Amino acid sequence: MSLTDRSQGAAGAPATPPPGGRRRGLTVADIVRAVTSGPLPVRVTAYDGSALGPADAGITLSIRSERGLSYLLTAPGDLGMARAYVSGDLAIEGVHPGDPYDALRVLAGVRMRPPALADGVTLVRELGWERLLPPPAPPQEARPRWKRVVDGLRHSRIRDSSAISHHYDVSNAFYEKVLGPSMTYTCAVYRSPDDTLEQAQANKYDLVAGKLALRPGMRLLDVGCGWGGMVRHAAREYGVKALGVTLSRAQAQWAQAAIEREGLTGLAQVRHLDYRDAPREQFDAVSSIGLTEHIGVRNYPAYFGFLRDRLRPGARLLNHCITRADNRAPHRSGAFIDRYVFPDGELAGPGRVISEIHDAGLEVHHEENLRQHYALTLAAWCRNLVEHWDFCVAEVGAGTARVWGLYMAGSRLAFERNGIQLHQVVATRNGPDALNGYPLRPDWLP
């Protein structure tokens, strides 16, 4: 159906005109129909009284204002929908905003597309050019990549600091509610789907400790340490002297307070540092849990070279990071993730990560994909957000809370459908004659 045809409501009857307003030639339903492909699996309702899609659909998208429509039209795809949703101009009915997973699963096949030429001319004539100018973005949105040059080149120290602050310096109180007592913002490891989130995060830290063969008295460097979960676990459970570094000042302050509260001051420490400024000495083990995603693919050689130089001969590295599902996918993230979640974040395929570790002079011994575990982790975080929704909204605002629900539910779906993966890689820095002390079989397995 073309926009030049007579506007019809969802059931074929003329659409209801807006209350108190004059009838326009086009309804919002007509416009949505023109810029979406295929039949909609959800109901769409609009501020002008028009609607389309099945009346008995379990999910309804409600376009609440002209600004919401402008967001959808001026940035087709996930960015436009995100802007409208975060601002509150687009509501998703039938799901909780802390966990819109069911809606995203249903909408996964829906694509917004540019209108046909004739329809585009009709849109301009009916709506006017001013309606097709993008409204100001919600305050939660980061600047586009080209405007970030004022913060320096991509993955420079200043720009990385700004990107990390955008995501991690939101509110420690907010993170406490979403992440739970462990304050761990990385993939957990589930021995059973019935494990609690806390059990699964402890499992993850034990797995990392086992892969690194941690023993009392060893020295561990944890780069990109977050709120110090691995540092505190290694010190408390394994008697390891652990140093963590993070580019987030809020994380470092919370972690140091937790270390003192737990009586670990003599063993554990977290510093507010760029990983490139970590002490230039050698450690018995190095862990990188969730940092590789932030450093930029072109910086992999320098990054893994830095980690190699922090290992004594024979010591082990554990690198834990999200990857693409293959080695051909683009490195840069989509518009929503880049603007609202991880500015400048990049992902490579698992083969690229392993190759770069090898090429840095390390020997890879073991690799494991924990994709399904991350889907379970994200589902648990969404449950926490739903449970503490009112507190989280009061702490960070409704728009930011909606960003987190959308991001975590969407990421869960991506992990479930193998759009992205999570890989742990174990490598060693070999000593003379390639000696590394690595066992004939993995020593962390039963």
Side-chain angles (χ1 to χ4, degrees):
M1 176 179 175
S2 169
L3 285 177
T4 56
D5 298 329
R6 180 176 174 81
S7 298
Q8 301 288 311
T16 305
R22 68 180 182 86
R23 168 82 178 262
R24 298 182 69 100
L26 288 180
T27 68
V28 174
D30 293 328
I31 297 168
V32 172
R33 186 182 295 109
V35 297
T36 52
S37 56
L40 288 173
V42 298
R43 183 74 166 168
V44 177
T45 61
Y47 58 89
D48 67 348
S50 64
L52 74 158
D56 59 350
I59 305 295
T60 296
L61 303 185
S62 177
I63 303 172
R64 293 177 165 177
S65 68
E66 291 187 357
R67 184 176 67 173
L69 179 61
S70 293
Y71 277 138
L72 296 175
L73 292 177
T74 55
D78 63 348
L79 183 58
M81 291 192 71
R83 286 172 172 170
Y85 179 69
V86 170
S87 66
D89 295 299
L90 172 69
I92 305 178
E93 300 169 5
V95 294
H96 192 286
D99 187 8
Y101 169 82
D102 288 335
L104 298 182
R105 182 171 50 82
V106 171
L107 287 165
V110 177
R111 294 289 180 268
M112 296 192 70
R113 57 179 174 80
L117 178 59
D119 289 345
V121 171
T122 303
L123 283 174
V124 172
R125 184 176 64 248
E126 293 282 342
L127 299 178
W129 281 109
E130 70 280 359
R131 196 68 54 79
L132 300 177
L133 295 175
Q140 292 79 9
E141 183 172 317
R143 289 172 294 181
R145 290 186 179 100
W146 67 272
K147 285 189 175 181
R148 294 176 206 157
V149 294
V150 298
D151 293 328
L153 297 176
R154 187 156 45 95
H155 299 300
S156 64
R157 291 170 184 260
I158 294 176
R159 186 156 157 180
D160 278 353
S161 178
S162 176
I164 291 297
S165 178
H166 176 87
H167 188 70
Y168 293 103
D169 292 348
V170 175
S171 159
N172 283 334
F174 171 82
Y175 281 111
E176 286 173 350
K177 297 299 184 184
V178 174
L179 303 180
S182 75
M183 281 293 273
T184 299
Y185 186 36
T186 48
C187 176
V189 174
Y190 288 78
R191 295 194 179 100
S192 162
D194 297 326
D195 283 353
T196 67
L197 177 61
E198 292 308 303
Q199 288 172 329
Q201 291 294 10
N203 294 343
K204 185 265 298 297
Y205 287 135
D206 283 333
L207 178 63
V208 172
K211 288 180 176 181
L212 291 174
L214 295 184
R215 299 289 184 273
M218 291 177 66
R219 299 178 67 247
L220 168 70
L221 172 65
D222 185 38
V223 293
C225 68
W227 289 270
M230 182 65 205
V231 168
R232 290 180 289 119
H233 190 89
R236 182 176 58 248
E237 304 297 331
Y238 294 88
V240 170
K241 188 172 184 180
L243 169 64
V245 297
T246 173
L247 202 47
S248 166
R249 186 179 301 276
Q251 286 182 333
Q253 291 172 345
W254 190 99
Q256 267 307 117
I259 286 169
E260 295 171 8
R261 188 168 59 247
E262 296 172 18
L264 299 173
T265 304
L267 288 174
Q269 183 184 17
V270 169
R271 300 181 191 173
H272 174 228
L273 286 177
D274 189 297
Y275 76 90
R276 289 162 284 201
D277 295 323
R280 295 187 174 278
E281 54 191 270
Q282 293 183 336
F283 293 80
D284 299 305
V286 171
S287 54
S288 172
I289 306 174
L291 177 58
T292 314
E293 299 90 331
H294 296 288
I295 64 169
V297 175
R298 70 179 182 181
N299 294 325
Y300 281 6
Y303 176 65
F304 289 117
F306 171 90
L307 299 184
R308 177 205 61 221
D309 292 345
R310 297 302 175 277
L311 290 166
R312 64 166 177 77
R316 299 184 193 181
L317 163 71
L318 184 289
N319 193 79
H320 166 125
C321 70
I322 302 170
T323 74
R324 299 296 185 196
D326 60 61
N327 298 308
R328 298 179 297 276
H331 296 148
R332 291 191 179 184
S333 56
F336 168 67
I337 294 295
D338 181 66
R339 298 285 190 93
Y340 284 90
V341 185
F342 293 116
D344 293 335
E346 296 180 23
L347 303 178
R352 175 68 179 271
V353 173
I354 291 173
S355 293
E356 295 283 3
I357 293 174
H358 267 300
D359 292 347
L362 296 161
E363 182 178 4
V364 172
H365 297 274
H366 188 273
E367 177 278 331
E368 183 176 6
N369 181 8
L370 298 173
R371 172 179 67 84
Q372 294 160 293
H373 296 260
Y374 218 153
L376 293 171
T377 306
L378 286 154
W381 288 341
C382 280
R383 286 194 296 272
N384 284 345
L385 181 55
V386 170
E387 180 181 353
H388 301 289
W389 180 255
D390 290 343
F391 175 91
C392 290
V393 168
E395 183 69 17
V396 301
T400 298
R402 281 193 289 265
V403 167
W404 276 83
L406 186 63
Y407 144 63
M408 294 192 299
S411 296
R412 173 188 169 187
L413 189 64
F415 279 108
E416 287 179 346
R417 297 191 173 185
N418 198 29
I420 48 179
Q421 300 176 348
L422 188 288
H423 287 262
Q424 283 190 352
V425 180
V426 180
T428 57
R429 178 178 183 176
N430 294 346
D433 299 322
L435 296 176
N436 55 39
Y438 197 82
L440 294 175
R441 298 298 301 155
D443 50 3
W444 65 86
L445 298 176

